[in-house]
């Protein structure tokens, strides 16, 4: 109660701006200065994609995400399957086997019932694909102009095997950094629709569940860190891990796969694909003696055929991500500052 | 996947209207015709306040709720403590001991940081009071005019003791119906602010955690059904239970406690207090031989000093709630139809 009397922490902004939702520096500042201090506990401070909790003698992972993507329908998916895949993936990134999901809808008055049905159907199909069950839910309606068609929160629970220990603080010098496929497809699918870019074939979101890929990887070898580079892209994910593990990271631009059409769309819109969201890709930090087997397990899985080693963890430049560029120079890859792609997920 | 091709179910409305969020008939129709068929599984069909799930050899309860209350600050609380108490209570209504909560914020661009801090501080204080830990979260920002200051989703996990079996289908003829205190305070606190009603002392929301009250009640005796009458009020809660248990319910108007100022505000606004939301009260269906001990346990708890028996379960008129009025007549208490109080929680 004494805490309630504390003055608000001082941030760079006096009101919330869109950039606070971008997944970059401002989001980080908001979480570090407002959310974590407000709730202060070791589990939250771990800042994993989900929380790992003791439960009935075992361990479970628990994760939550609200989806506000605009538009709600886009090439390759809609807000419904995105919401299911996103929480399934957050649980998988904790090394958990996702089991149960909740779904909570905030509907803007006027949403056509047919649109709602299509979203719900996609959620069901995505849940079936990922092998999870939607067990509880909630429905709220807000007046026209006080929402934007549909927001969805999904929360999820998964079981963590006793022998698994995956955590963003565990990246260690020497670890190799594996990426499960080409980057930036989700963000560019959304941006292409919003900006009215026309391609011969529309860029499709990579929205997909990663839990069965992770299961195979865990059979392949031990893993230190897993992260799905969503909001803020690969660059923000790597910066977060470098910071939390207090290590340096080196990556090689030429090894990062990107589809030609996605690259083209990024160039047209002046966006750096390293900062663009993915919804069906993962980064894995793996000890060097395990990397070959984990990589083989990834490539043998339909979700990971394009998997590749993009870099390594180093003792130099702790908490800094450095990229060797295609033309041979070195560039610091900072965390996204401000707002690049609002409402991408 | 075949399911996705199914046509949308036909509802009375072609688009979502505010009444679909009221907790009454339209909400019911939306859930029964759209949500449950879309996700179809026995756990969801149970339509408990939360889902009871097997986990690591024991049972857990899992619940979710999104809060869209307008205004976000009101006498007796704000959207933050409401969001914590609401999910704590949903878990308690499953007979679970709430342990862990997630918090997911959808912030409208422009929200003052001081307001955000006040809400977060209230969430923390409410979590401490209820003895739960906020372990994971998410923050999203929507553009101005695409949200309304702040929406909060909380999801929660609790442990269900092996000897507890509370379920909305278990109301049995002869059960006595216990109510933990005076009704309609939360809804009227919100409506008084919105309508600018002035009282000597403002009506305060009853927002409070009910988990420790439930713990005491379970020590007192066995309980068939617990329900916190939130959206749609006592009338909707009783109708839901009558329907799910396929029993009749009789209540006595003169036994339902209501504060004079709340009653007055209801009369001014033409609202029936039976349909107005509560956020710190519960209904318990208790076998007659247990009722005295459970009632004593309730009255001995600070949250239940005004507890009283308001009615009983009967074999007559299955699925119908009948109220003996103050003037001695009988009246059918139907489920709320349409929209009475939008955005109350």
């Amino acid at each position: 109660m004494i805490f309630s009397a504390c003055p608000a922490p001082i941030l760079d902004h006096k009101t919330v701006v869109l950039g606070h939702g971008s997944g970059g520096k401002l989001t980080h500042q908001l979480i570090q200065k407002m959310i974590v201090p407000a709730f202060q506990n070791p589990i939250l401070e771990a800042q994993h994609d989900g929380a790992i909790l003791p439960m009935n003698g075992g361990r479970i992972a628990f994760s939550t995400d609200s989806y506000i993507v605009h538009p709600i329908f886009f090439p390759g998916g809609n807000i419904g399957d995105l919401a299911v895949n996103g929480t399934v993936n957050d649980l998988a990134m904790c090394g958990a086997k996702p089991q149960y999901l909740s779904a909570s809808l905030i509907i803007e008055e006027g949403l056509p019932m047919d649109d709602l049905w299509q979203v719900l159907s996609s959620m069901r199909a995505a849940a079936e694909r990922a092998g999870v069950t939607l067990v509880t839910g909630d429905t709220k309606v807000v007046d026209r102009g006080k929402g934007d068609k549909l927001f969805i929160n999904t929360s999820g629970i998964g079981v963590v095997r006793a022998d698994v220990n995956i955590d963003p603080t565990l990246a260690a010098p020497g670890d190799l950094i594996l990426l499960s496929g080409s980057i930036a497809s989700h963000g560019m699918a959304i941006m292409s629709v919003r900006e009215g870019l026309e391609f011969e074939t529309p860029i499709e979101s990579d929205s997909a569940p990663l839990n069965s890929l992770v299961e195979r990887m865990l059979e392949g070898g031990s893993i230190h860190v897993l992260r799905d580079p969503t909001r803020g892209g690969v660059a923000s994910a790597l910066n977060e891990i470098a910071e939390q593990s207090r290590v340096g990271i080196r990556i090689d631009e030429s090894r990062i796969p990107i589809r030609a059409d996605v690259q083209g769309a990024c160039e047209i819109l002046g966006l750096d694909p390293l900062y663009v969201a993915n919804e069906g890709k993962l980064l894995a930090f793996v000890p060097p003696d395990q990397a070959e087997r984990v990589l083989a397990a990834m490539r043998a899985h339909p979700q990971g055929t394009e998997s590749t080693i993009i870099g390594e963890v180093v003792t130099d430049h702790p908490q800094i991500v450095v990229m060797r560029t295609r033309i041979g120079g070195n560039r610091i890859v900072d965390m996204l500052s401000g707002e690049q792609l609002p409402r991408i997920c």
Side-chain angles (χ1 to χ4, degrees), chain A residues 35 37-39 76 86 99 117 145 161 171 196 199 233 244-245 261 295 339:
Chain A
I35 315 261
F39 297 136
Q99 294 201 312
W117 182 249
R161 266 172 26 190
F199 299 93
Q244 287 189 258
S245 293
D261 55 350
L295 186 63
E339 159 219 335

Side-chain angles (χ1 to χ4, degrees), chain A residues 4-343:
Chain A
S4 304
C6 294
I10 309 293
L11 274 72
D12 294 344
H13 295 75
K14 279 201 167 314
T15 63
V16 176
V17 299
L18 270 178
H20 285 116
S22 68
K25 271 187 186 160
L26 285 176
T27 306
H28 231 65
Q29 196 186 62
L30 187 72
I31 291 172
Q32 295 293 357
K33 292 203 175 175
M34 293 279 263
I35 315 261
V36 171
F39 297 136
Q40 249 172 2
N41 67 65
I43 303 171
L44 194 68
E45 279 154 29
Q47 291 192 54
H48 213 331
D49 279 326
I52 311 277
L53 309 168
M55 181 61 70
N56 293 341
R59 286 183 304 161
I60 63 169
F62 178 32
S63 185
T64 189
D65 249 317
S66 287
Y67 295 84
I68 57 163
V69 63
H70 166 74
I72 61 172
F73 297 101
F74 48 81
N78 65 49
I79 191 171
D81 44 59
L82 185 70
V84 170
N85 291 335
T87 291
V88 162
N89 292 348
D90 281 345
L91 293 171
M93 296 308 114
C94 300
K97 184 179 160 64
Q99 294 201 312
Y100 302 113
L101 253 54
S102 65
S104 181
L105 313 176
I106 298 176
I107 308 170
E108 186 192 15
E109 189 187 9
L111 180 75
M113 286 290 175
D114 287 344
D115 287 0
L116 181 59
W117 182 249
Q118 202 179 325
V119 169
L120 293 173
S121 302
S122 301
M123 292 184 81
R124 180 203 171 97
E128 279 176 1
R129 181 177 174 197
V132 296
T133 313
L134 279 150
V135 292
T136 191
D138 177 47
T139 309
K140 295 279 157 61
V141 181
V142 293
D143 9 347
R144 220 178 275 261
K146 300 295 184 186
D148 196 7
K149 294 192 175 75
L150 182 60
F151 302 145
I152 300 179
N153 176 279
T154 50
S155 301
I157 302 175
V159 175
V160 184
R161 266 172 26 190
D163 59 337
V164 167
N165 190 18
I166 290 171
D167 193 281
T169 62
L170 295 179
D175 280 359
L176 295 175
I177 303 170
L178 283 53
L179 172 63
S180 68
S182 66
I183 64 165
S185 303
H186 175 72
M188 295 323 296
I190 303 287
M191 292 309 288
S192 302
V193 177
R194 276 200 224 152
E195 303 290 331
L197 299 188
E198 305 242 338
F199 299 93
E200 267 180 48
T201 325
I203 295 174
E204 292 205 341
S205 167
D206 60 347
S207 173
L210 295 167
N211 52 327
S212 84
L213 173 62
V214 170
E215 256 180 75
R216 290 288 183 79
M217 291 168 67
L218 289 171
E219 288 159 13
S222 82
I223 297 171
H224 285 158
V225 185
L226 286 173
R227 179 64 55 102
D228 55 336
T230 57
R231 266 193 300 182
V234 167
S236 300
L238 292 178
N239 269 282
E240 282 166 18
I241 294 163
E243 191 185 314
Q244 287 189 258
S245 293
R246 301 177 182 283
V247 294
I249 286 178
R250 290 189 66 83
I251 55 172
D252 194 333
E253 188 174 20
S254 65
R255 286 164 171 251
I256 300 173
I258 181 164
R259 288 177 39 168
D261 55 350
V262 173
Q263 177 82 54
C266 283
E267 280 164 15
I268 291 169
L269 296 175
L271 296 171
D272 182 339
L274 273 184
Y275 293 90
V276 176
N278 311 274
E279 293 290 343
K281 299 297 174 335
L282 62 80
L283 292 160
F285 286 61
V286 181
D289 61 332
Q290 308 281 315
E292 207 173 312
R293 274 156 50 207
V294 174
L295 186 63
M298 290 169 77
R299 288 186 173 157
H301 188 278
Q303 229 75 57
T305 52
E306 294 179 293
S307 296
T308 177
I309 295 170
I310 63 160
E312 62 184 328
V313 177
V314 296
T315 45
D316 296 348
H317 53 78
Q319 307 190 45
I320 289 175
V321 179
V322 175
M323 182 167 75
R324 187 179 165 81
T325 63
R326 274 205 191 79
I327 53 167
N330 282 315
R331 169 192 143 197
I332 289 180
V333 178
D334 206 353
M335 191 163 276
L336 179 66
S337 86
E339 159 219 335
Q340 188 189 37
L341 302 173
R343 299 188 55 193

